[in-house]
Amino acid sequence: MDDSLEAEGLSPMEEDLVETDRKRKRNASIDSTLQWSQWQLLDSILPTGGFAHSFGLEAAIQARLVSGPDDLKSYIIDLLDNTGSLLLPFVHSSTMNPTLENWQKLDRILDATLTNEVGRKASISQGSSLMRVAAAVFTEIPSLKSMRDVCLGSGSRSGVVCFHHAPVFGLTCGLVGIDSRSSQRGFMFVTMRDVISAATRLNIVGPMGAAILQHQMAPVAEALSQKWMDRPLEDASQTAPLLDTIQGSHAYLFSRLFCS
Amino acid sequence: MEKGKVVVEKVGPSDTDAAWIYSLTYGGGIVSGDSISVEFTVGDGCTAVLTTQASTKVYKSMGSNCSEQVLEARIGSGSLFALIPDPVTCFSTARYSQKQVFRVVSDSSLVIVDWFTSGRHESGEKWDFEHYRSTNHIFSEGDQPVFLDTVLLEQGGATRIAERMHDYQVIAMVIIYGPKLKHVQDQVQENVKKMMSQQLYVPSTRLGRHGKTNSDHCLTRPAFIASCSVFGPKVLTYDLSATMLLLEIV
């Protein structure tokens, strides 16, 4: 990088260049800080309990719809497609407008949209954990804690906020300063991360195979993110009804490793 | 474009238990570009059934025309509305969209069956349509969303529709909602649980610590898969929540 110039006796054009350079360095410094936060939000070590959920994979195995790595690949594509079509509009809206009012509205709509009880409970469980962690971790953003406290304290089942995952994820990203495209892509990433992790624990694929698979699937995941991102709420739809049914039947499994 | 309107105000004497209404289309099908819109009001304390005479056939799409059906229904206090049509069958290259909006009050009851098949599978058409979209929305008083569901299947996506359906040929969703149907909800939940518990097991190739054995450990898929979920608000005296099934049948 260029050394900064002494701003002495510079022409107006040169002064502009110096100012632009300073701005760029300031933004780069903000961007760097942001990257650390972004990596932390997407890191599996963040204690949000994502690993209790298999996203219907365990039920799919017990229904013999998935038995090996090829089936797994198709399953993940279907899951990501459905995540994109159904949930990205919520992530997008909450990132673009990370206010209490919008969050409450999105949460209410998503609660009526997640008609599959298993999926709904999983979403609430992950969202609650994420909100609790985010409020504790990002102390420089006091509104995270205050919004959480408002919604917790609103009484039992007046049902103001259920803490669904997608709106909380978007809200957190938005308040931290992550842009909407990265936020939506991030949501797809954590979904893929968690289902692949579930696959290793269900012995469909080993840890090395899982890592290879995750990288192989990145182009598909990116394409699906691009396809479904930045859409309005009214467009939210499910594109994998069989997957939805299978996930819903998780409750009937006699022996199970996962909550959902 | 032809535009018609039919208003039916009285379907029977006031001591009728339930009014059965059959909706018929000319030729028994929907052709490319058709748009059908129906408004329904079920008064307080009434029971109405809306059904069809045969499956709704959606013919191939000309150009990129989409056929659509829209239903708006208001259900009054202490009423029951049952929407139980035959399934929709989309032919090869068909484009079809339907939207059903139900506005209920706190003690309305609803039965909604929304189902569709893979196509004319005797002719070899399996999930061969271009575009299928079905929306079901239930709103309670004050436009509060209770149930918002849209299924969208489009060719040219990440996976072919046929592959995504894994040899299943029918998808059905059944909504059973409201105080009049509590006993039905309970029964259905129990039945689905019983049926599915038998269908799901850890496949024998990975039997480890799970000792559950079945006489046919084969890896064939269940002939049907169903799940039942509860949704909606719970109210003090009775459960307004309802159950929903999704079935896929080979």
Side-chain angles (χ1 to χ4, degrees), chain B residues 103-104 139-145:
Chain B
R103 297 186 188 277
V104 301
F139 294 98
S140 64
E141 285 148 311
D143 278 341
Q144 287 302 308

Side-chain angles (χ1 to χ4, degrees), chain A residues 185-205:
Chain A
R185 191 180 278 117
F187 191 79
M188 295 286 269
F189 174 83
V190 302
T191 303
M192 183 166 75
R193 173 200 78 188
D194 287 348
V195 72
I196 289 179
S197 163
T200 59
R201 278 168 295 146
L202 288 164
N203 279 318
I204 295 290
V205 69

Side-chain angles (χ1 to χ4, degrees), chain A residues 152-253:
Chain A
L152 281 178
S154 65
S156 52
R157 207 42 189 110
S158 59
V160 176
V161 158
C162 302
F163 292 92
H164 279 290
H165 190 207
V168 169
F169 188 91
L171 176 75
T172 306
C173 288
L175 289 175
V176 162
I178 298 170
D179 66 280
S180 177
R181 295 180 78 83
S182 301
S183 160
Q184 293 171 87
R185 191 180 278 117
F187 191 79
M188 295 286 269
F189 174 83
V190 302
T191 303
M192 183 166 75
R193 173 200 78 188
D194 287 348
V195 72
I196 289 179
S197 163
T200 59
R201 278 168 295 146
L202 288 164
N203 279 318
I204 295 290
V205 69
M208 184 65 91
I212 294 168
L213 177 66
Q214 186 170 352
H215 182 63
Q216 282 174 348
M217 299 217 64
V220 169
E222 175 61 19
L224 289 172
S225 304
Q226 294 277 352
K227 177 177 177 185
W228 295 114
M229 60 168 63
D230 298 349
R231 292 198 183 208
L233 271 186
E234 310 80 71
D235 279 8
S237 54
Q238 46 159 323
T239 53
L242 177 53
L243 195 143
D244 188 61
T245 307
I246 265 295
Q247 185 184 32
S249 69
H250 187 92
Y252 312 130
L253 301 184

Side-chain angles (χ1 to χ4, degrees), chain B residues 8-26:
Chain B
V8 180
E9 283 181 359
K10 187 170 178 173
V11 291
S14 57
D15 56 352
T16 311
D17 278 343
W20 280 70
I21 299 138
Y22 289 80
S23 109
L24 312 173
T25 51
Y26 185 75

